[in-house]
Amino acid sequence: MDLQKGIEQGLSDLALLDMLTAPDLPVRKHRLKRRDSDLDPLLLAAAAAYGPHVTRNHYAHDFFPAVGDPRAEGAYDWTRFQGEVKQGRRRYKYVSRQAPRSERLKREGKENDAVREATDPLRCADNLPLPRPQTAHSPAEIPPSTTPAGLKGSPPTTASAANAATSPVPPALEVKCMARTRVPTPHGPVFLHLYHNNRDNKEHLAIVVDSAQLRNDIPHLAPPIRSRTLDAKWSDTETETDRITRGAYVGRLSPSSQIPSAPSEQPTITLDTIPSPLVRIHSECFTGETIGSMRCDCGEQLDEAIRQISQPISTLTGSIPGRGAVVYLRQEGRGIGLLEKIRAYNLQDLGHDTVAANLLLGHKADERAYDVAAAILRDLGLGVEAGEGVRLLTNNPDKVHALQEEGIRIVERVPMVPRSWQRRQHVHMDAVANVKVGAEEEHAGLTMIGGGEVHGEDLDRYLRTKVLKMGHMLSLTDLDS
Ligand SMILES: Nc1nc2c(ncn2[C@@H]2O[C@H](COP(=O)(O)OP(=O)(O)OP(=O)(O)O)[C@@H](O)[C@H]2O)c(=O)[nH]1
């Protein structure tokens, strides 16, 4: 069937479009050229989204005819948009808004990428993974014996002065809270904050515990823990709905309560009457937190941190809800990533310890940084110089020093004792005192995997919707009874 016949027979637009773009279009029969472009804009968009370091050839291109008048849009060589008439049809060429790279570089007087990247902060390849630190390890430095075949210690290198001189200075670190929402947890409600930053491509998180913000029936003795960047006004055109949707609201959001927050430079008040907020800086651990790996206590620590921060705080006049935050950094495997951590686990099965396994793979024992964490804390008004300081939940001295170096005021380090150790301590003390241990005492808290149950009205509502609107096979009579 050709196009004319199709039109005569009253085919719908969609059917015609389908016919014209079908992969097996019999071109010769109806003499219609396929309308697919030679360039695939989707592919180009995907490449552009990947980052400037990869997409030097296509980055910032905008192709016509796709938008308005190319002259008005400042297209490069817009005259090509006029197209040419071939076989009675005008054919348009895709015209880029951007001149060819070679031409632009010539015009800008820049001869190579190094110069360009050093002078143009938007073009510097900050999203490239950092070069893996090369550390020399003599076999004697690596404790257990068996070095598996094929694994080599990395050769020592020293950064040349020339490299240091030409390497671009990264822009000042900035974080921005993109969205916040209330999440009910077994330990009480928390506010999950998602952050973007200009240092890496990761979505770091802050789990803020401050349930007083949800209540009007108690005196608010402490300043609310809120993100400055979230509460800020993002644009003149931003509506109240926009603000509320990204979490810039106060109180408990509900169909009957939608109060956008006001952008403010909240003064951080020092209160002598209540202890400083408890804070944990936690690094991602898929194995420990998601599949309940008992190779580490990361899952338990995350749970225990939220539990401890959520505990009510005693004051001279009674108690107030717990307050503080867990900053959750996406630096899996102490910064080496999950792939390398899995490889490290196999080396650990061969007899190496967690540090040696990292070193054998050519990593440092710990490749983490805490600058983003400090920036997030500052954004939340925690640990800032003029404020109340923080009590840091950690056993890791490097973490304490790193945060202090970033300017975070730590007034106390609160140890994280593994639950199994606490239990053993209790068993020992009870055995000495000849007291029988109850089953409930064996569970100091709820672990993420294999622990207690999740329940509550939010979960019920969620499940009911899945049954009624998404056809999930659950009996609502179980829920209603
Ligand atoms: N490379 C490597 N990383 C591990 C291993 N076990 C756990 N991790 C990672 O270690 C990190 C745990 O860090 P944190 O929870 O901040 O704890 P920490 O630095 O030990 O210090 P604390 O604050 O005292 O808990 C996570 O990123 C885990 O993925 C391991 O055997 N090898």
Side-chain angles (χ1 to χ4, degrees):
M1 185 193 303
D2 66 16
L3 183 63
Q4 193 54 40
K5 269 195 194 150
I7 294 167
E8 281 162 15
Q9 287 176 13
L11 276 189
S12 70
D13 286 353
L14 202 61
L16 282 172
L17 187 67
D18 200 33
M19 194 183 89
L20 287 168
T21 53
D24 55 350
L25 184 69
V27 176
R28 284 226 187 88
K29 210 168 140 200
H30 55 64
R31 280 188 242 98
L32 286 172
K33 190 178 183 297
R34 289 192 54 182
R35 286 193 184 174
D36 309 57
S37 64
D38 294 337
L39 294 166
D40 182 346
L42 270 182
L43 198 64
L44 295 176
Y50 199 74
H53 60 286
V54 180
T55 58
R56 296 205 172 99
N57 292 329
H58 298 119
Y59 186 65
H61 281 248
D62 205 338
F63 290 95
F64 301 99
V67 286
D69 179 352
R71 262 168 301 187
E73 299 281 343
Y76 170 75
D77 193 10
W78 62 269
T79 52
R80 289 169 59 207
F81 181 68
Q82 308 304 311
E84 48 185 327
V85 178
K86 264 192 192 164
Q87 296 167 350
R89 277 188 69 198
R90 182 174 293 278
R91 291 174 194 282
Y92 293 108
K93 292 230 173 79
Y94 282 94
V95 184
S96 169
R97 185 196 290 246
Q98 191 181 61
R101 179 166 167 264
S102 54
E103 222 162 284
R104 278 181 292 120
L105 286 182
K106 218 183 295 161
R107 204 169 50 222
E108 291 163 21
K110 295 168 185 172
E111 301 207 339
N112 57 42
D113 288 347
V115 177
R116 189 169 69 140
E117 290 185 348
T119 53
D120 183 352
L122 283 177
R123 296 279 174 182
C124 69
D126 285 334
N127 49 352
L128 280 173
L130 292 173
R132 179 184 292 185
Q134 306 282 308
T135 329
H137 302 294
S138 69
E141 282 178 278
I142 297 165
S145 49
T146 48
T147 302
L151 276 174
K152 297 181 196 105
S154 310
T157 56
T158 38
S160 72
N163 273 352
T166 54
S167 55
V169 180
L173 172 63
E174 282 175 27
V175 297
K176 182 173 180 181
C177 178
M178 304 303 295
R180 154 194 183 264
T181 193
R182 176 188 61 90
V183 176
T185 77
H187 302 301
V190 301
F191 291 103
L192 180 65
H193 293 59
L194 186 145
Y195 278 88
H196 282 180
N197 72 87
N198 61 348
R199 196 50 66 78
D200 61 39
N201 289 331
K202 299 189 174 155
E203 293 188 320
H204 302 285
L205 304 161
I207 300 154
V208 170
V209 177
D210 188 15
S211 63
Q213 290 188 43
L214 296 168
R215 296 175 57 179
N216 295 325
D217 58 332
I218 51 166
H220 288 200
L221 297 181
I225 302 175
R226 297 193 62 93
S227 157
R228 273 76 176 145
T229 52
L230 181 89
D231 283 340
K233 189 175 166 186
W234 284 7
S235 80
D236 289 339
T237 54
E238 191 176 46
T239 63
E240 287 198 349
T241 311
D242 293 336
R243 288 184 66 79
I244 284 172
T245 308
R246 63 180 172 84
Y249 61 82
V250 291
R252 167 80 143 87
L253 191 62
S254 74
S256 58
S257 167
Q258 299 139 38
I259 310 165
S261 61
S264 65
E265 277 300 315
Q266 298 152 13
T268 336
I269 313 152
T270 308
L271 293 165
D272 296 333
T273 45
I274 58 166
S276 301
L278 254 188
V279 163
R280 171 157 179 79
I281 309 298
H282 190 90
S283 302
E284 179 174 16
C285 178
F286 171 80
T287 45
E289 293 151 18
T290 308
I291 59 171
S293 160
M294 293 201 280
R295 278 189 186 258
C296 62
D297 59 349
C298 298
E300 178 191 295
Q301 283 188 319
L302 181 58
D303 180 49
E304 181 62 16
I306 300 173
R307 189 190 74 80
Q308 286 196 30
I309 298 168
S310 306
Q311 295 303 302
I313 299 166
S314 300
T315 68
L316 295 174
T317 51
S319 78
I320 61 167
R323 57 194 286 273
V326 175
V327 175
Y328 186 90
L329 299 173
R330 315 309 285 270
Q331 34 190 3
E332 171 65 66
R334 295 198 297 272
I336 67 172
L338 184 55
L339 171 64
E340 290 293 270
K341 189 173 88 172
I342 290 172
R343 283 155 52 85
Y345 277 157
N346 289 332
L347 295 182
Q348 290 173 38
D349 281 349
L350 290 179
H352 300 282
D353 65 26
T354 180
V355 170
N358 269 28
L359 299 181
L360 278 168
L361 289 169
H363 297 286
K364 289 183 189 167
D366 192 340
E367 294 190 355
R368 290 176 293 176
Y370 295 99
D371 50 352
V372 173
I376 291 175
L377 287 181
R378 276 193 292 274
D379 181 59
L380 293 168
L382 296 170
V384 290
E385 204 40 58
E388 48 188 332
V390 294
R391 292 179 299 135
L392 191 70
L393 271 164
T394 186
N395 301 324
N396 182 344
D398 290 348
K399 211 182 268 186
V400 178
H401 295 146
L403 288 169
Q404 282 173 331
E405 271 176 24
E406 293 289 340
I408 297 300
R409 198 155 75 84
I410 300 170
V411 292
E412 185 187 346
R413 181 189 75 82
V414 180
M416 296 222 74
V417 184
R419 286 173 181 159
S420 57
W421 292 16
Q422 293 179 33
R423 183 161 49 79
R424 268 183 251 151
Q425 264 175 10
H426 283 151
V427 169
H428 176 71
M429 282 157 60
D430 290 339
V432 171
N434 207 10
V435 178
K436 209 162 178 273
V437 187
E440 67 284 359
E441 288 174 63
E442 292 181 10
H443 296 285
L446 295 163
T447 54
M448 297 294 174
I449 301 289
E453 60 174 359
V454 287
H455 57 83
E457 61 177 39
D458 292 87
L459 182 67
D460 290 350
R461 206 170 23 241
Y462 170 72
L463 292 177
R464 187 186 292 276
T465 309
K466 286 179 84 157
V467 171
L468 296 178
K469 293 205 166 161
M470 299 168 74
H472 280 228
M473 291 184 290
L474 281 171
S475 166
L476 282 184
T477 44
D478 289 347
L479 179 63
D480 293 331
S481 64

